[in-house]
């Protein structure tokens, strides 16, 4: 005891080191069993995050007032155009009945996407300088499992890395631990591997160095590996060549801006 | 810094962390860790005050529990950084702003690299290049954010030296 009192600094360091190593060992052996604390933290973090977002939006709004007015006008016009489009595209009750009867006759079974998708809110961001993760407010109670794909609109943004009741953690596609086998939309033979990210873009390489690809090509999941086929990843913004590895490299810009999205869908 | 004061300061930092990261226009590539920055600043300022160290490590552990994949990595990386700063300060005990910049920069560098090494040892597949591409930006931004208050403290102390008391 006397030694501890006279060596407070070393005692604190040693105690923290021993506790941390123990915790690390326990996490490695049994996994993160303290996931329920995540839920508690989410309750605290959510209002903080909303406050931060509202501050940013308000400050941004002050400086871009004219742009917002212009955008508002454009959106009004687009809304009107889309409403007319919806009217022209809506199936009449008779046509729908006809289609249902036809599918029964042909024995066509289809999957109802609504039953396989869970919509969820992003409640916290848990990123460090190289891990890119965030938490959502749905978990195992909704049927979400580790490895499920997470989308924003039509685009892939990551996969579930941990889940519990009322919470799940998502590893984003910007996290280097996610390797995706991709293909060019419209030509499934042009495939490559997404291997990491640089700033806010994704980087990858083509499996065939003679692949005929160009800027603007849409990149989708190839269906090889754990990810289902045809999920949009982004668009090619630059094609290059790595002479050291003798590989055709690509820089892909995702359609999704992770800093602004609030809701995601999980394919279960 | 007393224990009570340390708990309040680190508690506030823990809760305002999400606000800071969503307000600062750094995108989602750079993540500001206020708890680490506070620890570094206090290690330079307060030398070996066990109460703030204990509280800082505790909040680092808490952050790992609620956000990280491996619990305990951040406190261990912090211990390595604090010891490094302590050793440097013991050998070069000069009050100099540029020296503080160097010490803080080295501290941030060591913290990030040791955290990455532990992640790799624990089985993550983050390559060195991947980490290195982000490291310089994060160190520079953290350093700038740390140096602003430090510079204000230094200039305040320098003006006080000019009053009659120091003649």
């Amino acid at each position: 005891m006397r030694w501890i009192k006279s060596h407070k600094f070393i005692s604190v360091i040693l105690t923290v080191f021993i506790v941390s190593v123990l915790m690390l060992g326990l996490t490695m052996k049994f996994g993160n069993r303290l996931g329920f604390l995540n839920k508690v933290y989410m309750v605290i973090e959510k209002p903080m995050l909303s406050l931060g977002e509202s501050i940013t939006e308000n400050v941004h709004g002050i400086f871009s007032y004219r742009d917002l007015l212009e955008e508002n006008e454009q959106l009004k016009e687009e809304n009107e155009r889309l409403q007319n489009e919806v009217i022209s595209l809506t199936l009449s009750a008779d046509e729908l009945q006809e289609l249902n009867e036809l599918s029964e006759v042909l024995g066509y079974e289809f999957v109802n996407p609504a039953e396989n998708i869970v919509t969820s809110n992003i409640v916290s961001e848990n990123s460090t300088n190289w891990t890119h993760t965030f938490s959502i407010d749905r978990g195992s109670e909704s049927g979400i499992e580790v490895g499920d794909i997470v989308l924003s609109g039509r685009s892939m943004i990551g996969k579930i890395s941990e889940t519990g009741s009322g919470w799940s953690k998502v590893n984003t596609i910007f996290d280097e631990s996610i390797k995706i086998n991709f293909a060019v939309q419209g030509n499934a033979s042009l495939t490559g591997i997404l291997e990491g990210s640089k700033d806010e873009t994704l980087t990858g390489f083509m499996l065939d160095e003679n692949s005929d690809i160009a800027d603007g090509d849409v990149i989708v999941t190839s269906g090889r590996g754990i990810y289902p086929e045809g999920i949009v990843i982004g668009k090619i913004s630059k094609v290059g060549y790595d002479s050291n590895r003798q590989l055709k490299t690509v820089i892909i810009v995702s359609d999704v801006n992770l800093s602004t999205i609030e809701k995601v869908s999980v394919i279960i | 810094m007393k224990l009570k004061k340390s708990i309040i300061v680190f508690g506030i930092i823990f809760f305002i962390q999400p606000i800071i990261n969503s307000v600062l226009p750094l995108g989602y590539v750079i993540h500001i860790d206020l708890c680490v920055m506070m620890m570094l600043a206090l290690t330079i300022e307060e030398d070996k005050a066990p109460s703030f160290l204990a509280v800082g490590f505790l909040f680092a552990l808490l952050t790992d529990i609620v956000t990280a994949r491996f619990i305990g990595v951040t406190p261990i990386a912090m211990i390595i950084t604090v010891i490094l700063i302590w050793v440097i300060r013991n050998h070069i005990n000069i009050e100099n702003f540029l020296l503080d910049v160097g010490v803080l920069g080295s501290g941030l560098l060591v913290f990030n690299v040791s955290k990455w090494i532990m992640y790799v040892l624990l089985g993550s597949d983050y390559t060195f290049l991947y980490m290195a591409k982000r490291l310089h930006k994060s160190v520079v931004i953290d350093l700038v954010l740390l140096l602003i208050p430090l510079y204000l403290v230094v200039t305040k102390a320098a003006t006080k030296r000019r009053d009659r008391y120091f003649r």
Side-chain angles (χ1 to χ4, degrees):
Chain A
M1 272 310 264
R2 197 179 291 165
W3 188 88
I4 293 173
K5 276 186 180 172
S6 54
H7 298 86
K8 280 182 185 170
F9 178 71
I10 296 169
S11 310
V12 167
I13 297 261
L14 276 176
T15 313
V16 174
F17 184 75
I18 292 165
V19 171
S20 301
V21 170
L22 274 175
M23 293 287 271
L24 211 54
L26 290 173
T27 325
M28 290 296 291
K29 195 159 173 73
F30 304 107
N32 191 346
R33 294 285 173 95
L34 299 167
F36 65 92
L37 284 173
N38 233 341
K39 218 172 155 182
V40 179
Y41 182 64
M42 270 154 56
V43 176
I44 303 162
E45 198 186 11
K46 205 176 172 180
M48 299 288 172
L49 217 61
S50 324
L51 180 66
E53 276 162 12
S54 65
I55 292 170
T56 315
E57 278 167 16
N58 286 323
V59 172
H60 179 74
I62 294 166
F63 292 105
S64 55
Y65 177 69
R66 281 182 188 282
D67 292 341
L68 284 176
L69 276 178
E70 224 168 87
E71 197 182 334
N72 192 27
E73 283 304 314
Q74 279 174 0
L75 285 173
K76 273 182 191 168
E77 281 171 26
E78 198 180 338
N79 187 29
E80 209 168 305
R81 188 179 57 77
L82 287 172
Q83 272 179 352
N84 291 333
E85 213 169 292
V86 166
I87 292 164
S88 65
L89 287 174
T90 306
L91 290 173
S92 67
D94 290 346
E95 282 172 321
L96 192 64
Q97 174 103 27
E98 209 174 301
L99 274 176
N100 282 336
E101 281 170 9
L102 208 61
S103 67
E104 265 175 42
V105 171
L106 294 171
Y108 178 70
E109 283 179 19
F110 61 92
V111 181
N112 183 2
E115 284 173 9
N116 298 307
I117 285 182
V118 174
T119 311
S120 176
N121 295 310
I122 295 177
V123 281
S124 66
E125 285 168 32
N126 322 123
S127 298
T128 64
N129 285 328
W130 57 84
T131 60
H132 298 290
T133 57
F134 59 80
S135 299
I136 54 173
D137 62 358
R138 293 286 192 94
S140 49
E141 83 292 347
S142 306
I144 294 175
E145 289 172 6
V146 171
D148 286 347
I149 311 290
V150 185
L151 307 172
S152 171
R154 283 175 60 234
S155 303
M156 179 174 175
I157 50 167
K159 67 171 184 176
I160 302 289
S161 61
E162 284 174 61
T163 187
S165 179
W167 64 275
S168 299
K169 277 189 186 177
V170 180
N171 256 18
T172 72
I173 49 173
F174 295 96
D175 194 292
E176 204 192 40
S177 62
I178 289 195
K179 304 269 188 248
I180 306 170
N181 196 311
F182 66 77
V184 175
Q185 198 175 44
N187 191 346
S189 62
L190 300 177
T191 56
I193 292 170
L194 204 68
E195 56 175 355
S197 63
K198 189 187 174 193
D199 295 332
E200 295 183 12
T201 56
L202 300 158
T203 55
F205 60 85
M206 301 304 293
L207 292 176
D208 178 6
E209 64 170 302
N210 299 316
S211 304
D212 184 21
I213 49 167
D215 296 2
D217 282 352
V218 176
I219 294 296
V220 294
T221 49
S222 67
R224 292 171 196 168
I226 57 165
Y227 303 102
E229 191 181 346
I231 300 172
V232 177
I233 299 169
K235 274 182 188 165
I236 295 180
S237 71
K238 196 180 173 187
V239 180
Y241 186 75
D242 185 344
S243 53
N244 291 329
R245 294 193 293 167
Q246 293 190 325
L247 290 170
K248 189 172 250 185
T249 56
V250 283
I251 292 179
I252 302 159
V253 178
S254 170
D255 296 338
V256 185
N257 185 349
L258 280 179
S259 342
T260 53
I261 55 167
E262 287 170 6
K263 277 187 187 291
V264 292
S265 313
V266 184
I267 304 176
I268 55 171
Chain B
M1 196 183 263
K2 295 268 180 262
L3 187 70
K4 215 172 173 181
K5 207 172 163 187
S6 304
I7 293 172
I8 294 168
V9 169
F10 278 101
I12 292 169
I13 281 176
F14 185 73
F15 289 119
I16 63 163
Q17 174 86 42
I19 303 179
I20 299 296
N21 272 306
S22 60
V23 167
L24 288 176
L26 299 170
Y28 46 87
V29 178
I30 305 290
H31 181 84
I32 303 290
D33 196 334
L34 291 179
C35 189
V36 175
M37 287 161 72
M38 191 68 191
M39 275 294 271
L40 293 184
L42 288 176
T43 310
I44 285 222
E45 196 68 21
E46 302 256 329
D47 202 21
K48 288 187 285 175
S51 57
F52 93 75
L53 276 180
V55 176
F57 288 136
L58 194 75
F59 272 93
L61 198 66
L62 198 63
T63 313
D64 267 6
I65 289 172
V66 292
T67 62
R69 196 170 142 203
F70 303 111
I71 302 168
V73 169
T74 314
I76 295 174
M78 264 188 184
I79 289 173
I80 297 167
T81 316
V82 166
I83 290 174
L84 173 97
I85 293 178
W86 182 57
V87 168
I88 297 175
R89 299 290 291 184
N90 256 17
H91 282 85
I92 320 164
N93 196 15
I94 308 161
E95 290 293 330
N96 184 310
F97 182 69
L98 280 178
L99 185 73
D100 285 349
V101 175
V103 173
L104 283 174
S106 321
L108 285 166
L109 206 70
V110 166
F111 174 78
N112 281 298
V113 172
S114 48
K115 208 172 166 181
W116 169 76
I117 290 171
M118 274 185 278
Y119 261 82
V120 171
L121 290 175
L122 292 166
S124 294
D125 42 11
Y126 302 111
T127 58
F128 177 75
L129 269 176
Y130 176 76
M131 183 275 296
K133 274 191 279 186
R134 288 158 170 75
L135 190 63
H136 63 285
K137 277 185 197 165
S138 110
V139 168
V140 169
I141 292 169
D142 283 354
L143 197 58
V144 169
L145 289 173
L146 257 173
L147 289 177
I148 295 167
L150 196 70
Y151 180 76
L152 292 174
V153 171
V154 169
T155 44
K156 202 176 169 189
T159 48
K160 288 275 188 278
R161 286 181 74 180
R162 282 188 222 112
D163 67 20
R164 295 168 82 187
Y165 181 80
F166 283 96
R167 272 182 194 169

